[in-house]
Amino acid sequence: MVFVWQNGDLNDEQTDAVRYDGSVFLAACPGSGKTRALTYKIALELSKLESERHWVVAITYTHRAAEEIAERIERLGVSTDRLWIGTIHSFCLDWIIRPYAIYHDRLANGFRVIDQHETDDILTELCQQSPNFVRPLDCRYYFTTVGFELEGANPNRRAAAAVLQRYWDRLREHRQLDFEMILSCAHDLIASNPSISVLLGSLFRYILVDEYQDTKEIQYAIIAAILRVSAGNTRTFIVGDPNQAIYGSLGGYAMTRPEFEARAGVDLAEKSLSNNYRSSERIVGYFSNYCVVPAVIEAVGKDRDYGSFISFDQQINHQELDDEIVRLIRHNIETLGISPREICVVGPQWVQLAAITRRLVAALPEYNFDGPGMAPFSRDQDNIWFKISRLALTRPEPQMFVRRMRWAGEVLEHFRSVGIDTSKTSRRDLLRHCNQIEIPVDDGLEYLELFFDELLLALGIDIVLFPSLDDHRTAFFERSRIQIERLENAGVQAVSNIAMFRRVFAARSGITISTIHGVKGAEFDSVIAFALLEGMVPHFADSNVLDSAKKLLYVIASRPRKNLHLIAEVGRVNGIGEPYETTNILAEHVFGYDLMEAIE
């Protein structure tokens, strides 16, 4: 039965994009219901599949986005059995590399994907051995279809390239791949074996791409190759916002519709979502000034007429920054009635956030703090023990059932991929085993170690027979101990307690601490952003300063529904002792900011 939604579920723009019977290139402003449109499009196309061999594929920028969309589709009552959804790296592993590794010299004899922590360790060692001054930071790179590029403006390019060559040789010797190599190897296989694209093109009825503005050139090439050979059997639905393209230094860029049409050999209908349901009219009016690509954005949500407070302070000394952020937090909670879980403190990088988090926790002991960097254990999404930890740390509550069932499926699939026979274990069986395990300890890592042991025993799995599981387990606990130590050094209390571990997968309950990149896609009632300084926003190594600054400010200012507080503190100095100045585009923008004195 073809999926039909209720009147009022989608607005006219969303309905036009979702119902269009062809390939679509959709530009969506912040708060426009982009995820809703994407969800309904996937549900519609899933309901129209006529063969058990056909699939709908949705490629998201993060695992979190994939999870959210899959849950929404299931709540709509549409089966997700023929949906594959995940990141581009997971797509390449599942559909290209694992099935066809035998056709790639580097992969034919087996391989293991290493995580970012392992990459950092190897690069640290090799940098120390280099006769030149090279940091692991200098060696960050990404692949294109014609080679590799170093991230950002790098003064040590030649020395960094030499270290990278040794790094790649090391990985080849140990039959290892890092995340960037996943894309490179997948492209190699697609390019040298056109029959792979032909087969995938016959299987996929739709390929949907979320956040196209963050997609890399090599990713476009992989998707375009499949579309081109499908002879029109595979269509695409590409969604994003070019004004939020803040991953340029990492290789991401907002490919234009004509560019993608030329690569993929498809016609794309250009459509847009211009209604902002998130923010007040004043907030929308403010962030619209930072558009790089012209866009019409209209506030239409329930908070449209809210009397937003928008402040900008470029006089406060950095030594008084903590007190000012505390003052703003208290004002939003105690005077404006904003819930703590609807407040976000944003900084450019974790190096600034780590220091301020410790002091905010001490200054506001009555409130909890949340954030990706606050997790007390390794959050490597591709590590099997992280996947199992999600089941270990969440309770069997009705509202979690659908999510935990999907997690159980991912665990079983990982087991199958390493050669474990799971034919007699269903997702429900795995959940039942997990639900029956009781570990009466308070230490989080000890709890997980004992939980893992009991689960393996219940499933009859001898980890010694599967070296990759053992390697993943060692890496999980080593990285988790490092993370706990980092948080403890930052002053976070009770970080190793099981209660802190459980909070990672619980609903957001405290004040969020995040980087600008980390907060993209999220929304809050109030946002407090600091360190809006040239050289930080944008980063000093960014090659396109003006556009990058605009896009970063656009992302920050489009997160809040109600209130926005911008701070460019004085007194900070860079590595050579020069003072940071306010981000130029922010300093030059004329706006009727609210006075800070008004919130005494």
Side-chain angles (χ1 to χ4, degrees):
M1 181 180 295
V2 174
F3 170 60
V4 178
W5 55 88
Q6 300 293 319
N7 287 335
D9 282 1
L10 301 178
N11 64 27
D12 291 344
E13 288 181 326
Q14 293 167 328
T15 299
D16 179 51
V18 170
R19 284 186 173 162
Y20 186 78
D21 189 24
S23 294
V24 170
F25 193 84
L26 181 63
C29 76
S32 61
K34 172 205 61 156
T35 302
R36 175 179 285 259
L38 191 63
T39 299
Y40 277 63
K41 181 62 175 178
I42 294 171
L44 177 62
E45 297 307 328
L46 282 171
S47 73
K48 291 163 63 175
L49 292 180
E50 298 177 349
S51 170
E52 286 295 314
R53 65 187 296 271
H54 290 157
W55 290 79
V56 172
V57 169
I59 297 175
T60 61
Y61 193 77
T62 65
H63 293 280
R64 182 183 66 183
E67 198 166 87
E68 178 186 349
I69 291 170
E71 286 183 10
R72 289 192 187 192
I73 294 169
E74 289 168 346
R75 286 199 295 269
L76 291 172
V78 176
S79 171
T80 57
D81 290 347
R82 309 306 296 172
L83 168 67
W84 187 97
I85 185 167
T87 64
I88 185 66
H89 295 84
S90 297
F91 172 80
C92 289
L93 282 170
D94 288 352
W95 289 100
I96 301 173
I97 291 181
R98 290 191 178 114
Y100 305 107
I102 192 171
Y103 299 110
H104 195 294
D105 290 343
R106 187 183 188 111
L107 310 174
N109 295 316
F111 65 92
R112 180 175 75 85
V113 178
I114 64 174
D115 61 27
Q116 187 59 48
H117 297 293
E118 292 174 279
T119 288
D120 291 342
D121 285 347
I122 296 170
L123 286 175
T124 297
E125 176 190 341
L126 295 177
C127 285
Q128 290 172 346
Q129 297 171 2
S130 173
N132 304 294
F133 177 72
V134 184
R135 304 166 300 170
L137 181 67
D138 300 326
C139 301
R140 292 181 178 175
Y141 77 101
Y142 58 90
F143 280 111
T144 70
T145 54
V146 295
F148 78 96
E149 295 285 343
L150 292 171
E151 291 180 5
N154 192 328
N156 298 318
R157 300 187 73 84
R158 182 171 296 181
V163 170
L164 275 175
Q165 190 58 59
R166 294 176 60 203
Y167 165 75
W168 292 324
D169 290 343
R170 169 84 66 88
L171 265 55
R172 178 183 291 275
E173 179 184 349
H174 291 88
R175 294 189 300 195
Q176 296 171 333
L177 299 179
D178 67 12
F179 289 129
E180 293 305 316
M181 289 178 180
I182 291 172
L183 302 180
S184 177
C185 289
H187 181 261
D188 289 344
L189 284 165
I190 286 277
S192 59
N193 298 275
S195 58
I196 297 175
S197 295
V198 172
L199 176 59
L200 295 180
S202 70
L203 295 176
F204 302 156
R205 279 297 163 262
Y206 255 91
I207 299 176
L208 300 98
V209 180
D210 191 16
E211 306 287 7
Y212 77 81
Q213 75 278 356
D214 299 327
T215 301
K216 298 177 181 178
E217 183 265 350
I218 198 169
Q219 298 171 11
Y220 285 118
I222 292 168
I223 297 165
I226 298 170
L227 293 171
R228 179 174 288 280
V229 301
S230 75
N233 290 323
T234 305
R235 295 175 178 176
T236 189
F237 191 85
I238 300 175
V239 187
D241 181 0
N243 285 305
Q244 296 188 66
I246 61 174
Y247 287 91
S249 64
L250 307 183
Y253 76 103
M255 182 175 282
T256 64
R257 178 183 58 82
E259 283 181 280
F260 192 78
E261 284 182 331
R263 279 190 178 234
V266 298
D267 292 326
L268 291 165
E270 191 162 16
K271 298 182 181 295
S272 64
L273 302 180
S274 60
N275 290 331
N276 178 288
Y277 291 91
R278 174 187 302 156
S279 305
S280 72
E281 192 168 29
R282 191 163 191 241
I283 293 287
V284 169
Y286 182 77
F287 74 71
S288 295
N289 286 288
Y290 295 113
C291 286
V292 173
V293 178
V296 176
I297 307 173
E298 182 180 0
V300 298
K302 63 182 179 64
D303 293 316
R304 178 183 186 277
D305 297 322
Y306 182 87
S308 294
F309 190 102
I310 302 179
S311 65
F312 174 40
D313 189 335
Q314 55 178 332
Q315 296 180 338
I316 193 163
N317 190 280
H318 76 104
Q319 294 178 337
E320 300 170 341
L321 177 64
D322 300 351
D323 292 339
E324 181 61 16
I325 292 177
V326 167
R327 187 168 74 104
L328 290 168
I329 290 173
R330 290 196 183 280
H331 175 74
N332 275 271
I333 296 172
E334 298 168 8
T335 303
L336 302 179
I338 304 298
S339 168
R341 70 173 181 271
E342 293 296 347
I343 296 175
C344 180
V345 178
V346 180
Q349 301 168 335
W350 277 115
V351 67
Q352 295 96 17
L353 289 169
I356 206 166
T357 297
R358 178 185 68 246
R359 299 191 292 270
L360 289 179
V361 169
L364 296 164
E366 67 269 41
Y367 299 118
N368 293 325
F369 287 82
D370 296 328
M374 300 291 285
F377 55 89
S378 174
R379 297 193 65 169
D380 175 8
Q381 302 279 351
D382 294 305
N383 188 301
I384 179 61
W385 302 104
F386 171 77
K387 295 178 180 179
I388 296 174
S389 73
R390 298 182 299 191
L391 299 174
L393 296 170
T394 52
R395 303 185 189 281
E397 299 168 343
Q399 63 269 28
M400 288 294 295
F401 177 71
V402 171
R403 183 176 300 184
R404 296 180 86 238
M405 280 285 283
R406 185 168 55 258
W407 289 344
E410 291 179 18
V411 170
L412 292 175
E413 178 59 34
H414 195 117
F415 282 155
R416 283 192 287 272
S417 73
V418 299
I420 296 173
D421 181 8
T422 62
S423 59
K424 296 181 179 180
T425 304
S426 68
R427 293 186 296 172
R428 288 179 181 272
D429 293 334
L430 180 57
L431 283 186
R432 188 175 64 254
H433 286 309
C434 292
N435 297 345
Q436 291 172 346
I437 296 174
E438 295 183 5
I439 309 294
V441 298
D442 292 327
D443 182 82
L445 283 187
E446 183 183 1
Y447 175 90
L448 288 179
E449 286 189 287
L450 294 172
F451 186 98
F452 295 162
D453 288 341
E454 289 207 22
L455 182 61
L456 290 174
L457 183 63
L459 296 175
I461 297 173
D462 184 355
I463 194 173
V464 175
L465 302 177
F466 303 95
S468 67
L469 292 185
D470 206 9
D471 290 344
H472 273 220
R473 180 166 176 155
T474 298
F476 177 85
F477 283 106
E478 284 182 354
R479 304 308 171 191
S480 297
R481 292 185 181 96
I482 292 171
Q483 175 73 347
I484 288 173
E485 182 180 357
R486 186 186 73 82
L487 289 170
E488 287 176 339
N489 290 339
V492 181
Q493 301 297 312
V495 66
S496 61
N497 191 279
I498 184 63
M500 179 69 89
F501 277 57
R502 292 192 186 279
R503 279 182 52 194
V504 172
F505 301 113
R508 195 172 72 208
S509 62
I511 298 163
T512 296
I513 307 288
S514 180
T515 62
I516 302 170
H517 291 77
V519 81
K520 194 161 83 69
E523 58 183 56
F524 305 87
D525 279 350
S526 297
V527 169
I528 303 166
F530 69 96
L532 302 178
L533 307 168
E534 201 74 22
M536 293 186 184
V537 180
H539 190 265
F540 68 87
D542 203 304
S543 58
N544 192 346
V545 174
L546 180 60
D547 281 359
S548 295
K550 282 187 172 183
K551 291 173 182 176
L552 290 166
L553 290 168
Y554 181 93
V555 168
I556 293 170
S558 61
R559 298 308 97 199
R561 303 181 187 95
K562 298 178 177 179
N563 305 303
L564 175 64
H565 307 283
L566 305 172
I567 303 173
E569 61 271 25
V570 299
R572 287 190 185 271
V573 296
N574 61 22
I576 58 175
E578 296 176 341
Y580 281 107
E581 302 290 341
T582 301
T583 297
N584 290 335
I585 193 67
L586 176 60
E588 294 169 359
H589 180 51
V590 178
F591 184 80
Y593 294 106
D594 296 293
L595 298 177
M596 304 302 293
E597 290 78 3
I599 64 166
E600 291 295 342

